[in-house]
């Protein structure tokens, strides 16, 4: 008998019929003799709908109340799911985050899980029940309801799998697994059979929303075997596992894009010790995450500073930077929101040179200008004009032959 945590995303539970279909699928696994913990998201579109209503009430919604509102979405699906299981003659129990004491910190709308009490879940499982738990939510020590940030149900599922020492955590979604790039914009995208935690972390952090990045971090830390697969087929999906030899010979394993970026430039900043700290300390104190930073020295002890922030923080960042620019005697602050970050990811890059320059060459061939570049051991990212996103993704996917199931380096592209 295995203990399996299964998570079904919004599109998988988008209607009562779909919830019934999920219940039947779960019952098949139950009949095979497994203990099952089922984590559900809200119906697709529901979290956005609730956020829209909140904005009708308050220009900048109160974060505590926002969490109170958003957690209702998952309450609907877990209760309906439990009813569907009971209707089929089996037993299920639905539980909210605070009932299973998914304890989080107090960061409303982006809380982090601190601990989970497994006693109650284990007791229900031992009594033969299918336990269904609301994704994306938790509770603070003071009893306030919190949410874990968008896509947070993946994190709930992995955290439960780690706490319960489950045999596997299965993430069911609307695609067959993790692909070489987003299959909704690149028809040639190929499903990846096995991917390392580290590559998956990079893909998730660079825009592949198929898995929430925090869920991958937790899975890596607690060695939770992850299986990303489709709700609508029985096919084997993608296994997220520890790195192995075959993976090392892969050159590039995926292309990602993120339109969630904005660029800010401070010009003619005095080039002296302490200036970068004066710019970036207040920004980070305000909870604004800065990603890429480029500094270009000019003549006359002056420098230009360009960096990226998350698009939703752009207005706040610009306001702060106008003040900071005055304080440090910088000439101007300019910015743009119509940019995108395109990245290639692969553990094989560690052992090969020339990957970054190949990427630049391919973008140049398409006439796409690169505004910023950043690299790590296993990724290269470029900031480009947002309107070229799809073109860039497809061109890079083709050039690195990611549609082919090859694991060797293609000489032509280097
Ligand atoms: P769920 O509601 O099940 O959590 P999400 O919408 O969060 O589903 O994630 C699945 C979507 O992620 C897919 O429909 C796909 O368009 C998108 N996606 C982006 N990049 C990738 C990728 N590399 N592989 C698979 N899906 C991806
Ligand atoms: N319902 C939440 C969202 O839409 C959490 C999730 O689906 O993972 O972000
Ligand atoms: Mg998701």
């Amino acid at each position: 008998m295995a203990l399996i945590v299964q998570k079904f995303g919004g599109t998988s539970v988008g209607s009562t019929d779909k919830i019934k279909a999920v219940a039947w699928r779960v019952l098949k696994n139950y009949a095979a003799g497994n203990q099952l913990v089922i984590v559900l998201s809200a119906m697709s579109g529901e979290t956005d709908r609730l956020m829209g209503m909140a904005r009708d009430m308050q220009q900048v919604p109160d974060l505590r109340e926002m969490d109170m509102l958003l957690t209702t979405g998952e309450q609907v699906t877990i209760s309906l799911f439990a009813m569907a299981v009971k209707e089929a003659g089996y037993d299920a129990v639905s539980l909210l985050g605070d009932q299973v004491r998914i304890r989080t910190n107090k960061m409303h709308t982006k809380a982090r899980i601190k601990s989970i009490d497994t006693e109650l879940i284990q007791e229900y499982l031992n009594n033969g029940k299918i336990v269904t738990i609301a994704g994306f939510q938790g509770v603070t020590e003071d009893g306030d309801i919190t949410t874990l940030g968008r896509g947070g149900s993946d994190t709930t599922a992995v955290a439960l799998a780690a706490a319960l020492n489950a045999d596997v955590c299965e993430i069911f979604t609307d695609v067959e697994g993790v692909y070489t790039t987003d299959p909704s914009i690149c028809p040639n995208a190929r499903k990846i059979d096995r991917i390392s935690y580290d590559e998956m972390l990079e893909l998730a952090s660079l825009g592949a929303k198929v898995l929430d990045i925090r869920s991958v971090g937790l899975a890596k830390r607690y060695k939770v075997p992850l299986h990303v697969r489709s709700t609508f087929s029985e096919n084997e999906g993608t296994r997220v596992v520890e790195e192995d030899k075959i993976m090392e010979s892969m050159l590039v394993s995926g292309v990602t894009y993120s339109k969630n970026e904005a660029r800010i430039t401070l010009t003619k900043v005095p080039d002296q010790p302490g200036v970068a700290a004066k710019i970036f300390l207040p920004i980070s104190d305000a909870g604004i995450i800065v990603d890429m930073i480029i500094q270009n020295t000019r003549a006359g002890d002056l420098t230009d500073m360009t960096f990226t922030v998350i698009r939703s923080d752009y207005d706040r960042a610009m306001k702060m930077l106008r003040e900071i620019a005055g304080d440090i005697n910088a000439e101007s602050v300019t910015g743009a929101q119509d940019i995108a970050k395109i990245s290639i990811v692969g553990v094989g890059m560690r052992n090969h040179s020339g990957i970054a320059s190949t990427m630049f060459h391919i973008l140049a061939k398409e006439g796409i200008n690169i505004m910023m570049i950043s690299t790590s051991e296993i990724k290269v990212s470029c900031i480009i004009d947002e309107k070229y996103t799809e073109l860039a993704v497809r061109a890079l996917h083709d050039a690195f032959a990611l549609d082919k199931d090859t694991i060797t380096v293609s000489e032509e592209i280097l």
Side-chain angles (χ1 to χ4, degrees):
M1 182 174 63
L3 169 53
I4 305 175
V5 175
Q6 298 185 321
K7 176 257 170 177
F8 292 85
T11 41
S12 310
V13 293
S15 66
T16 48
D17 280 343
K18 285 189 172 161
I19 294 174
K20 282 184 199 166
V22 167
W24 289 326
R25 179 165 192 153
V26 166
L27 284 171
K28 257 205 274 176
N29 286 306
Y30 181 78
N34 297 309
Q35 289 192 320
L36 296 169
V37 173
I38 310 299
V39 174
L40 300 182
S41 288
M43 290 184 177
S44 50
E46 178 62 6
T47 308
D48 290 332
R49 190 183 74 88
L50 293 169
M51 287 173 85
M53 286 200 294
R55 285 194 204 102
D56 282 347
M57 296 298 131
Q58 230 186 338
Q59 229 172 22
V60 181
D62 181 88
L63 297 183
R64 181 191 181 278
E65 301 312 324
M66 184 65 121
D67 276 351
M68 198 59 133
L69 177 71
L70 294 188
T71 46
T72 61
E74 274 72 11
Q75 184 163 357
V76 170
T77 48
I78 56 167
S79 49
L80 291 174
F81 171 82
M83 290 177 200
V85 170
K86 285 169 194 254
E87 182 68 11
Y90 291 83
D91 203 5
V93 58
S94 64
L95 297 166
L96 295 171
D98 63 338
Q99 289 175 292
V100 281
R101 295 193 191 84
I102 299 182
R103 287 243 192 277
T104 71
N105 64 12
K106 296 179 184 176
M107 286 284 278
H108 282 291
T109 73
K110 41 184 153 190
R112 288 187 168 265
I113 297 178
K114 285 166 48 179
S115 66
I116 298 181
D117 251 2
T118 52
E119 229 171 273
L120 183 67
I121 305 172
Q122 208 73 65
E123 198 180 311
Y124 280 127
L125 289 175
N126 293 344
N127 289 333
K129 285 186 204 288
I130 293 169
V131 179
T132 178
I133 297 174
F136 173 58
Q137 58 180 253
V139 62
T140 67
E141 261 155 37
D142 307 331
D144 278 327
I145 305 294
T146 51
T147 62
L148 309 179
R150 300 306 305 269
S153 297
D154 296 337
T155 303
T156 307
V158 175
L160 281 164
L164 290 160
N165 207 5
D167 295 285
V168 60
C169 180
E170 296 184 314
I171 304 287
F172 287 88
T173 185
D174 58 352
V175 288
E176 297 267 332
V178 179
Y179 282 69
T180 46
T181 193
D182 186 347
S184 72
I185 70 159
C186 184
N188 298 343
R190 183 175 51 80
K191 196 196 82 195
I192 301 169
D193 294 333
R194 288 160 65 78
I195 189 165
S196 71
Y197 291 119
D198 284 335
E199 275 175 315
M200 194 60 237
L201 271 174
E202 289 284 4
L203 289 179
S205 77
L206 296 169
K209 67 166 184 160
V210 63
L211 277 178
D212 180 21
I213 181 162
R214 284 157 312 153
S215 71
V216 188
L218 275 181
K220 180 181 173 188
R221 184 154 155 213
Y222 294 100
K223 296 194 168 30
V224 176
L226 272 184
H227 186 188
V228 183
R229 53 192 309 196
S230 168
T231 306
F232 310 108
S233 85
E234 296 287 339
N235 299 340
E236 174 82 9
T238 301
R239 303 272 176 178
V240 188
V241 292
E242 306 249 33
E243 192 174 324
D244 60 30
K245 281 271 170 288
I246 297 181
M247 290 170 184
E248 280 168 28
S249 58
M250 290 282 288
L251 185 60
V252 172
S253 51
V255 179
T256 60
Y257 66 94
S258 165
K259 296 183 178 180
N260 190 22
E261 316 270 326
R263 180 173 57 96
I264 298 177
T265 302
L266 278 154
T267 54
K268 294 197 181 168
V269 177
D271 197 3
Q272 20 179 272
V275 163
K278 278 191 189 140
I279 297 171
F280 294 112
L281 268 180
I283 297 282
S284 74
D285 285 348
I288 295 171
I289 295 167
V290 171
D291 182 14
M292 295 186 195
I293 303 177
I294 290 182
Q295 185 177 336
N296 294 322
T297 308
R298 288 176 173 246
D301 287 341
L302 293 172
T303 184
D304 291 344
M305 213 57 104
T306 300
F307 51 93
T308 57
V309 295
I310 295 169
R311 210 177 277 183
S312 56
D313 286 334
Y314 176 76
D315 290 336
R316 216 154 48 97
M318 283 297 275
K319 192 164 163 236
M320 291 184 69
L321 283 158
R322 282 192 196 104
E323 277 169 32
I324 295 170
D327 294 346
I328 60 171
N329 272 329
E331 187 189 65
S332 68
V333 185
T334 54
Q337 299 196 64
D338 53 353
I339 59 160
K341 180 162 67 177
I342 307 292
S343 311
I344 54 174
V345 175
V347 289
M349 283 185 205
R350 279 196 205 113
N351 312 320
H352 292 102
S353 57
I355 309 288
S357 49
T358 305
M359 178 177 187
F360 307 152
H361 175 66
I362 290 155
L363 293 176
K365 251 181 34 190
E366 298 296 334
I368 300 171
N369 186 40
I370 301 170
M371 302 175 195
M372 298 173 85
I373 298 167
S374 96
T375 60
S376 83
E377 250 197 325
I378 65 167
K379 68 119 201 226
V380 185
S381 299
C382 295
I383 296 289
I384 62 166
D385 191 328
E386 183 182 354
K387 66 175 183 261
Y388 297 123
T389 306
E390 284 76 11
L391 175 64
V393 167
R394 290 188 199 121
L396 290 167
H397 194 270
D398 275 359
F400 285 102
L402 297 185
D403 55 330
K404 312 263 172 14
D405 193 7
T406 51
I407 56 165
T408 46
V409 184
S410 155
E411 297 294 332
E412 302 144 50
I413 59 171
L414 287 181

